[in-house]
Coordinates of all heavy atoms in Angstrom, one line a residue:
P232 N 69.3 132.7 99.8 CA 70.5 132.2 99.3 C 70.4 131.1 98.1 O 69.4 130.4 98.1 CB 71.1 131.4 100.4 CG 70.0 131.1 101.2 CD 69.0 132.0 101.2
I233 N 71.2 131.4 97.1 CA 71.3 130.4 96.1 C 72.7 129.6 96.3 O 73.7 130.3 96.4 CB 71.3 131.0 94.7 CG1 70.0 131.6 94.4 CG2 71.8 129.9 93.6 CD1 70.0 132.5 93.1
I234 N 72.7 128.3 96.4 CA 73.7 127.5 96.9 C 74.1 126.4 95.8 O 73.2 125.9 95.3 CB 73.6 126.9 98.2 CG1 73.2 128.0 99.3 CG2 74.8 126.0 98.7 CD1 72.6 127.5 100.5
C235 N 75.4 126.2 95.6 CA 75.7 125.2 94.8 C 75.8 123.9 95.6 O 76.4 123.9 96.6 CB 77.1 125.3 94.1 SG 77.6 123.8 93.1
A236 N 75.0 122.9 95.2 CA 74.8 121.7 96.0 C 75.5 120.4 95.4 O 75.1 119.4 95.6 CB 73.3 121.4 96.2
E237 N 76.5 120.7 94.6 CA 77.2 119.6 93.9 C 78.7 119.9 94.0 O 79.1 121.0 93.5 CB 76.7 119.4 92.5 CG 77.5 118.1 91.8 CD 77.0 116.9 92.4 OE1 75.8 116.5 92.4 OE2 77.9 116.1 92.9
L238 N 79.4 119.0 94.7 CA 80.9 119.3 94.8 C 81.5 119.6 93.5 O 81.5 118.6 92.6 CB 81.6 118.1 95.5 CG 83.0 118.3 95.8 CD1 83.4 119.5 96.7 CD2 83.6 117.0 96.5
C239 N 82.1 120.7 93.2 CA 82.4 121.0 91.9 C 83.8 121.4 91.8 O 84.3 122.0 90.7 CB 81.6 122.1 91.2 SG 81.4 123.6 92.2
G240 N 84.7 121.5 92.8 CA 86.0 122.0 92.8 C 86.4 122.6 94.0 O 85.7 122.6 95.0
A241 N 87.6 123.2 94.0 CA 88.2 123.7 95.2 C 87.3 124.8 95.9 O 87.2 124.9 97.1 CB 89.7 124.4 95.0
Y242 N 86.6 125.6 95.2 CA 85.9 126.7 95.7 C 84.3 126.5 95.7 O 83.6 127.5 95.7 CB 86.3 128.1 95.1 CG 87.8 128.4 95.3 CD1 88.6 128.1 94.3 CD2 88.2 128.7 96.6 CE1 90.0 128.3 94.5 CE2 89.4 129.1 96.8 CZ 90.5 128.8 95.7 OH 91.7 129.0 95.9
H243 N 84.0 125.2 95.5 CA 82.5 124.9 95.7 C 81.8 125.5 96.8 O 80.7 126.0 96.6 CB 82.4 123.3 95.7 CG 81.2 122.7 96.4 ND1 80.0 122.8 95.7 CD2 80.8 122.3 97.6 CE1 79.1 122.2 96.4 NE2 79.5 122.0 97.6
G244 N 82.4 125.5 97.9 CA 81.9 126.1 99.0 C 81.5 127.6 99.0 O 80.8 128.1 99.8
A245 N 82.3 128.3 98.1 CA 82.1 129.6 97.9 C 81.2 130.0 96.7 O 80.9 131.2 96.5 CB 83.4 130.3 97.7
M246 N 80.5 129.0 96.1 CA 79.8 129.2 94.9 C 78.3 129.5 95.4 O 77.4 128.7 95.3 CB 79.8 127.9 94.1 CG 79.1 128.2 92.6 SD 79.5 126.9 91.7 CE 78.3 127.1 90.3
K247 N 78.2 130.8 95.9 CA 76.8 131.2 96.4 C 76.4 132.6 95.9 O 77.3 133.4 95.7 CB 77.0 131.2 97.9 CG 77.1 130.0 98.8 CD 77.3 130.2 100.1 CE 77.4 128.9 100.8 NZ 78.3 129.0 102.0
T248 N 75.3 132.7 95.7 CA 74.7 133.9 95.4 C 73.3 134.4 96.0 O 73.0 133.5 97.0 CB 74.9 134.3 93.9 OG1 74.3 135.7 93.5 CG2 73.9 133.4 93.1
R249 N 72.5 135.1 95.4 CA 71.2 135.3 96.1 C 70.0 135.4 95.0 O 70.4 135.7 93.8 CB 71.2 136.8 96.6 CG 72.2 137.1 97.9 CD 72.0 138.4 98.5 NE 72.3 139.5 97.4 CZ 72.0 140.7 97.6 NH1 71.4 141.1 98.8 NH2 72.1 141.6 96.7
V250 N 69.0 135.1 95.5 CA 67.7 135.4 94.6 C 67.0 136.5 95.4 O 66.8 136.5 96.6 CB 66.8 134.1 94.4 CG1 66.6 133.4 95.7 CG2 65.5 134.4 93.7
I251 N 66.6 137.5 94.5 CA 65.9 138.7 95.1 C 64.5 138.6 94.6 O 64.3 138.8 93.3 CB 66.7 139.9 94.8 CG1 68.0 139.9 95.5 CG2 65.8 141.1 95.3 CD1 69.2 140.2 94.7
V252 N 63.6 138.4 95.5 CA 62.0 138.5 95.0 C 61.6 139.9 95.4 O 61.6 140.4 96.5 CB 61.2 137.4 95.9 CG1 59.8 137.4 95.4 CG2 61.9 136.1 95.6
Q253 N 61.1 140.5 94.3 CA 60.6 141.9 94.4 C 59.3 142.1 93.7 O 58.9 141.2 93.0 CB 61.6 143.0 93.9 CG 62.3 142.5 92.6 CD 63.7 143.2 92.4 OE1 64.2 142.9 91.3 NE2 64.1 144.1 93.1
S254 N 58.6 143.1 93.9 CA 57.3 143.4 93.2 C 57.6 143.4 91.8 O 58.7 143.9 91.3 CB 56.7 144.7 93.8 OG 57.4 145.8 93.3
P255 N 56.6 143.2 91.0 CA 56.7 143.2 89.5 C 57.3 144.6 89.0 O 58.3 144.7 88.1 CB 55.4 143.0 88.9 CG 54.8 142.0 89.9 CD 55.3 142.6 91.2
E256 N 56.9 145.7 89.6 CA 57.2 147.1 89.3 C 58.8 147.3 89.7 O 59.5 147.8 88.8 CB 56.4 148.1 90.1 CG 55.0 148.3 89.8 CD 54.2 147.0 90.4 OE1 54.6 146.4 91.4 OE2 53.2 146.6 89.8
E257 N 59.2 146.8 90.7 CA 60.6 146.9 91.3 C 61.5 146.1 90.2 O 62.5 146.4 89.8 CB 60.7 146.4 92.7 CG 60.4 147.4 93.8 CD 60.3 146.7 95.1 OE1 60.2 145.5 95.2 OE2 60.5 147.5 96.0
F258 N 60.9 144.9 89.9 CA 61.6 144.0 88.9 C 62.0 144.7 87.6 O 62.9 144.7 87.1 CB 60.9 142.7 88.7 CG 61.6 141.8 87.8 CD1 62.7 141.2 87.9 CD2 61.0 141.7 86.4 CE1 63.3 140.3 87.0 CE2 61.5 140.9 85.5 CZ 62.7 140.1 85.8
N259 N 60.8 145.4 87.1 CA 60.9 146.0 85.8 C 62.0 147.2 85.9 O 62.7 147.4 84.9 CB 59.5 146.7 85.4 CG 58.7 145.4 85.0 OD1 59.1 144.5 84.6 ND2 57.5 145.7 85.0
T260 N 61.9 147.9 87.1 CA 62.8 148.9 87.3 C 64.3 148.4 87.3 O 65.2 149.0 86.6 CB 62.6 149.6 88.7 OG1 61.4 150.0 88.7 CG2 63.6 151.0 88.8
W261 N 64.5 147.4 87.8 CA 65.8 146.6 87.9 C 66.3 146.3 86.6 O 67.4 146.5 86.2 CB 65.8 145.3 88.8 CG 67.0 144.5 88.8 CD1 68.2 144.9 89.5 CD2 67.4 143.4 88.0 NE1 69.2 143.9 89.2 CE2 68.7 143.0 88.4 CE3 66.6 142.6 87.2 CZ2 69.3 141.9 87.8 CZ3 67.2 141.5 86.6 CH2 68.6 141.2 87.0
V262 N 65.4 145.7 85.7 CA 65.8 145.3 84.4 C 66.2 146.5 83.6 O 67.3 146.5 82.8 CB 64.5 144.6 83.6 CG1 64.9 144.5 82.2 CG2 64.2 143.3 84.3
A263 N 65.4 147.6 83.7 CA 65.7 148.9 83.0 C 67.1 149.3 83.4 O 68.0 149.8 82.7 CB 64.8 149.9 83.2
E264 N 67.4 149.3 84.8 CA 68.7 149.8 85.2 C 69.8 148.9 84.7 O 70.9 149.4 84.3 CB 68.7 149.6 86.8 CG 68.1 150.9 87.5 CD 67.8 150.5 88.9 OE1 68.5 149.4 89.5 OE2 67.3 151.2 89.7
Q265 N 69.6 147.6 84.7 CA 70.6 146.7 84.1 C 71.1 147.0 82.7 O 72.2 147.0 82.3 CB 70.2 145.2 84.4 CG 70.1 144.7 85.6 CD 71.4 144.8 86.4 OE1 72.4 144.3 86.0 NE2 71.4 145.7 87.5
L266 N 69.9 147.2 81.9 CA 70.1 147.6 80.6 C 71.0 148.8 80.3 O 71.9 149.0 79.5 CB 68.8 147.7 79.7 CG 68.0 146.5 79.6 CD1 66.7 146.7 79.0 CD2 68.8 145.6 78.7
E267 N 70.5 149.8 81.2 CA 71.4 151.0 81.2 C 72.9 150.8 81.5 O 73.8 151.3 80.8 CB 70.9 152.1 82.2 CG 69.8 153.0 81.5 CD 69.2 153.9 82.7 OE1 69.9 154.4 83.5 OE2 67.9 154.0 82.7
S268 N 73.1 150.2 82.6 CA 74.5 149.9 83.0 C 75.1 149.0 82.0 O 76.4 149.1 81.8 CB 74.7 149.3 84.5 OG 74.2 147.9 84.4
E269 N 74.5 148.0 81.2 CA 75.3 147.3 80.4 C 75.8 148.1 79.1 O 76.8 148.0 78.5 CB 74.3 146.2 79.9 CG 74.4 144.9 80.8 CD 73.5 143.9 80.4 OE1 73.1 143.8 79.2 OE2 73.3 143.0 81.3
E270 N 74.9 149.2 78.8 CA 75.1 150.1 77.8 C 76.5 150.8 78.1 O 77.4 151.0 77.4 CB 74.2 151.1 77.5 CG 73.2 150.7 76.5 CD 72.0 151.5 76.3 OE1 72.1 152.8 76.5 OE2 70.9 151.0 76.0
E271 N 76.6 151.3 79.5 CA 77.7 151.8 79.9 C 79.0 151.0 79.9 O 80.0 151.4 79.5 CB 77.6 152.4 81.4 CG 76.7 153.7 81.5 CD 76.2 153.8 82.9 OE1 76.8 153.4 83.9 OE2 75.1 154.5 83.2
D272 N 78.8 149.8 80.2 CA 79.9 148.9 80.1 C 80.4 148.7 78.7 O 81.5 148.7 78.5 CB 79.4 147.4 80.7 CG 79.4 147.4 82.2 OD1 79.8 148.4 82.8 OD2 78.8 146.4 82.7
E273 N 79.5 148.7 77.8 CA 79.8 148.6 76.4 C 80.7 149.9 76.0 O 81.7 149.6 75.3 CB 78.7 148.5 75.5 CG 78.2 147.1 75.3 CD 76.8 146.9 74.6 OE1 76.4 147.8 73.8 OE2 76.2 146.1 75.0
E274 N 80.4 151.0 76.5 CA 81.1 152.2 76.2 C 82.5 152.1 76.8 O 83.5 152.4 76.1 CB 80.5 153.4 76.8 CG 79.3 153.9 76.0 CD 78.4 154.9 76.7 OE1 78.8 155.5 77.6 OE2 77.2 154.9 76.3
V275 N 82.6 151.5 78.1 CA 83.9 151.2 78.6 C 84.7 150.4 77.8 O 86.0 150.5 77.6 CB 83.8 150.8 80.0 CG1 85.1 150.3 80.7 CG2 83.2 151.9 81.0
A276 N 84.1 149.3 77.3 CA 84.7 148.2 76.6 C 85.4 148.9 75.2 O 86.3 148.4 74.7 CB 83.9 147.0 76.3
L277 N 84.7 149.9 74.7 CA 85.0 150.4 73.4 C 86.4 151.3 73.6 O 87.2 151.6 72.8 CB 84.0 151.2 72.9 CG 82.8 150.5 72.2 CD1 81.7 151.5 71.8 CD2 83.3 149.7 71.0
N278 N 86.6 151.8 74.9 CA 87.8 152.7 75.2 C 88.6 152.1 76.3 O 88.9 152.6 77.3 CB 87.3 154.0 75.7 CG 86.3 154.6 74.6 OD1 86.7 154.9 73.4 ND2 85.1 154.9 75.1
P279 N 89.1 150.9 76.1 CA 89.8 150.2 77.2 C 91.2 150.8 77.5 O 91.6 150.9 78.6 CB 90.0 148.7 76.7 CG 89.8 148.8 75.2 CD 89.0 150.0 74.9
Q280 N 91.6 151.5 76.5 CA 93.1 152.1 76.7 C 93.1 153.2 77.7 O 94.1 153.6 78.1 CB 93.7 152.5 75.3 CG 93.0 153.7 74.7 CD 91.7 153.3 73.9 OE1 91.2 152.2 74.0 NE2 91.3 154.1 73.0
E281 N 91.8 153.7 78.0 CA 91.8 154.9 78.8 C 91.9 154.5 80.3 O 91.9 155.3 81.2 CB 90.5 155.7 78.6 CG 90.5 156.5 77.3 CD 89.2 157.3 77.0 OE1 88.4 157.4 78.0 OE2 89.1 157.7 75.9
K282 N 91.8 153.2 80.5 CA 91.7 152.7 81.9 C 92.8 151.7 82.1 O 93.1 150.9 81.2 CB 90.3 152.0 82.2 CG 89.3 153.0 82.1 CD 88.1 152.5 83.1 CE 87.0 153.6 83.0 NZ 86.1 153.5 84.2
S283 N 93.3 151.6 83.4 CA 94.3 150.5 83.7 C 93.5 149.3 83.9 O 92.3 149.2 83.9 CB 94.9 150.9 85.1 OG 94.0 150.6 86.1
A284 N 94.3 148.1 83.8 CA 93.7 146.7 83.9 C 92.9 146.7 85.3 O 91.7 146.1 85.1 CB 94.7 145.8 84.0
T285 N 93.4 147.3 86.3 CA 92.7 147.1 87.6 C 91.3 147.8 87.5 O 90.2 147.4 87.9 CB 93.5 147.5 88.7 OG1 94.8 147.3 88.5 CG2 93.1 147.0 90.0
E286 N 91.4 149.1 87.0 CA 90.2 149.9 86.8 C 89.1 149.2 85.9 O 88.0 149.2 86.3 CB 90.5 151.3 86.3 CG 91.0 152.2 87.3 CD 91.5 153.5 86.6 OE1 91.9 153.5 85.4 OE2 91.4 154.6 87.3
F287 N 89.7 148.5 84.8 CA 88.8 148.0 83.9 C 88.2 146.8 84.4 O 87.0 146.6 84.2 CB 89.6 147.6 82.7 CG 88.9 147.0 81.5 CD1 88.0 147.9 80.7 CD2 89.0 145.7 81.1 CE1 87.3 147.3 79.7 CE2 88.2 145.1 80.1 CZ 87.4 146.1 79.4
L288 N 88.9 146.0 85.1 CA 88.2 144.7 85.8 C 87.5 144.9 87.0 O 86.6 144.0 87.2 CB 89.5 143.7 86.0 CG 90.1 143.1 84.7 CD1 91.3 142.3 85.1 CD2 89.1 142.2 83.9
A289 N 87.6 145.9 87.7 CA 87.0 146.2 88.9 C 85.5 145.8 88.9 O 85.0 145.0 89.7 CB 87.3 147.4 89.5
P290 N 84.7 146.5 87.9 CA 83.2 146.2 88.0 C 82.9 144.8 87.7 O 82.0 144.3 88.1 CB 82.8 147.3 86.9 CG 83.9 147.6 86.1 CD 85.2 147.6 86.9
Y291 N 83.9 144.1 86.9 CA 83.5 142.7 86.5 C 83.7 141.7 87.8 O 83.0 140.9 87.8 CB 84.3 142.3 85.4 CG 84.0 143.2 84.1 CD1 84.8 144.2 83.7 CD2 82.9 143.0 83.4 CE1 84.5 145.1 82.7 CE2 82.6 143.7 82.3 CZ 83.3 144.8 81.9 OH 83.0 145.6 80.9
S292 N 84.9 142.0 88.5 CA 85.1 141.0 89.5 C 84.1 141.2 90.5 O 83.5 140.2 91.1 CB 86.5 141.5 90.2 OG 86.4 142.6 90.8
Q293 N 83.4 142.4 90.7 CA 82.3 142.6 91.6 C 81.0 141.8 91.1 O 80.3 141.2 91.8 CB 82.0 144.2 91.7 CG 81.2 144.4 93.0 CD 80.8 145.9 93.0 OE1 81.1 146.6 92.2 NE2 80.1 146.1 94.0
E294 N 80.9 141.9 89.8 CA 79.7 141.3 89.2 C 79.8 139.9 89.3 O 78.7 139.2 89.4 CB 79.7 141.8 87.6 CG 78.3 141.9 87.0 CD 78.4 142.5 85.6 OE1 78.4 143.7 85.6 OE2 78.6 141.7 84.6
M295 N 80.9 139.3 89.2 CA 81.1 137.8 89.2 C 81.1 137.3 90.7 O 81.3 136.2 90.9 CB 82.4 137.4 88.5 CG 82.5 137.8 87.0 SD 81.3 136.8 86.2 CE 81.8 135.2 86.2
A296 N 80.9 138.3 91.6 CA 80.9 137.9 93.0 C 82.2 137.2 93.4 O 82.2 136.2 94.3 CB 79.7 137.0 93.3
V297 N 83.2 137.5 92.9 CA 84.6 137.0 93.2 C 85.3 138.1 94.1 O 85.5 139.2 93.6 CB 85.4 136.7 92.0 CG1 86.8 136.2 92.5 CG2 84.7 135.7 91.1
S298 N 85.6 137.7 95.3 CA 86.2 138.7 96.2 C 87.7 138.8 96.0 O 88.3 137.9 95.4 CB 85.9 138.4 97.7 OG 86.7 137.2 98.0
A299 N 88.3 139.8 96.4 CA 89.8 140.0 96.2 C 90.5 138.9 96.9 O 91.6 138.4 96.6 CB 90.2 141.4 96.8
D300 N 89.9 138.5 98.0 CA 90.6 137.3 98.8 C 90.7 136.0 98.0 O 91.7 135.5 98.0 CB 89.7 137.1 100.0 CG 89.9 138.0 101.2 OD1 90.8 138.9 101.0 OD2 89.2 137.9 102.2
I301 N 89.6 135.8 97.3 CA 89.6 134.6 96.5 C 90.6 134.7 95.3 O 91.4 133.9 95.1 CB 88.1 134.3 96.1 CG1 87.4 133.7 97.2 CG2 88.1 133.2 94.8 CD1 85.9 133.5 96.9
L302 N 90.6 135.9 94.8 CA 91.4 136.1 93.5 C 92.9 136.0 94.0 O 93.7 135.3 93.3 CB 91.3 137.5 93.0 CG 90.0 137.6 92.2 CD1 89.9 139.2 91.7 CD2 90.1 136.8 90.9
A303 N 93.2 136.6 95.3 CA 94.6 136.4 95.9 C 94.9 134.9 96.2 O 96.1 134.4 96.0 CB 94.7 137.2 97.1
Q304 N 93.9 134.1 96.5 CA 94.1 132.7 96.8 C 94.5 131.8 95.6 O 95.1 130.7 95.7 CB 93.0 132.1 97.6 CG 92.9 132.5 99.0 CD 91.5 132.0 99.7 OE1 91.0 131.0 99.2 NE2 91.1 132.9 100.6
L305 N 94.0 132.2 94.4 CA 94.2 131.4 93.3 C 95.7 131.2 93.0 O 96.4 132.2 93.1 CB 93.5 132.1 92.1 CG 92.1 132.1 92.1 CD1 91.4 132.9 91.0 CD2 91.4 130.7 92.0
P306 N 96.1 130.0 92.7 CA 97.5 129.8 92.3 C 98.0 130.6 91.1 O 97.2 130.6 90.0 CB 97.6 128.3 92.2 CG 96.2 127.9 91.8 CD 95.3 128.8 92.4
H307 N 99.1 131.1 91.2 CA 99.7 131.8 90.0 C 100.4 130.9 89.2 O 101.4 130.2 89.8 CB 100.6 133.0 90.4 CG 99.6 134.1 91.2 ND1 98.8 135.1 90.4 CD2 99.4 134.3 92.4 CE1 98.3 135.9 91.2 NE2 98.5 135.3 92.5
P308 N 100.3 130.9 88.0 CA 101.1 129.9 87.1 C 102.6 129.9 87.3 O 103.3 129.0 87.4 CB 100.7 130.2 85.7 CG 99.5 131.1 85.7 CD 99.5 131.6 87.2
E309 N 103.2 131.3 87.4 CA 104.7 131.5 87.5 C 105.1 130.9 88.9 O 106.3 130.7 89.0 CB 105.0 132.9 87.2 CG 104.5 134.0 88.3 CD 103.1 134.5 87.8 OE1 102.3 133.8 87.0 OE2 102.8 135.6 88.2
H310 N 104.3 130.9 89.9 CA 104.8 130.4 91.3 C 104.7 128.8 91.3 O 105.3 128.4 92.2 CB 103.9 131.0 92.2 CG 104.2 132.5 92.4 ND1 105.2 133.1 93.1 CD2 103.4 133.7 91.8 CE1 105.2 134.4 92.9 NE2 104.2 134.8 92.2
S311 N 103.8 128.3 90.7 CA 103.7 126.8 90.7 C 105.0 126.2 90.5 O 105.7 126.4 89.4 CB 102.6 126.2 90.0 OG 102.7 126.5 88.5
G312 N 105.3 125.1 91.2 CA 106.6 124.3 90.9 C 107.8 124.8 91.7 O 108.8 124.1 91.9

Side-chain angles (χ1 to χ4, degrees):
I233 295 171
I234 301 163
C235 179
E237 182 67 59
L238 184 61
C239 55
Y242 299 101
H243 156 72
M246 191 169 158
K247 289 176 181 151
T248 183
R249 299 182 299 171
V250 53
I251 295 132
V252 180
Q253 44 201 176
S254 73
E256 296 75 30
E257 285 170 332
F258 174 76
N259 289 337
T260 309
W261 175 78
V262 169
E264 281 170 5
Q265 292 305 299
L266 287 172
E267 268 174 44
S268 76
E269 275 178 21
E270 267 172 40
E271 282 166 24
D272 284 351
E273 271 166 35
E274 282 163 26
V275 170
L277 287 171
N278 304 295
Q280 68 277 14
E281 288 177 14
K282 298 212 172 198
S283 75
T285 325
E286 279 174 332
F287 182 70
L288 285 172
Y291 298 98
S292 69
Q293 200 188 359
E294 207 169 277
M295 297 296 288
V297 177
S298 73
D300 282 355
I301 287 176
L302 285 175
Q304 283 171 33
L305 290 170
H307 295 277
E309 64 268 24
H310 290 278
S311 60

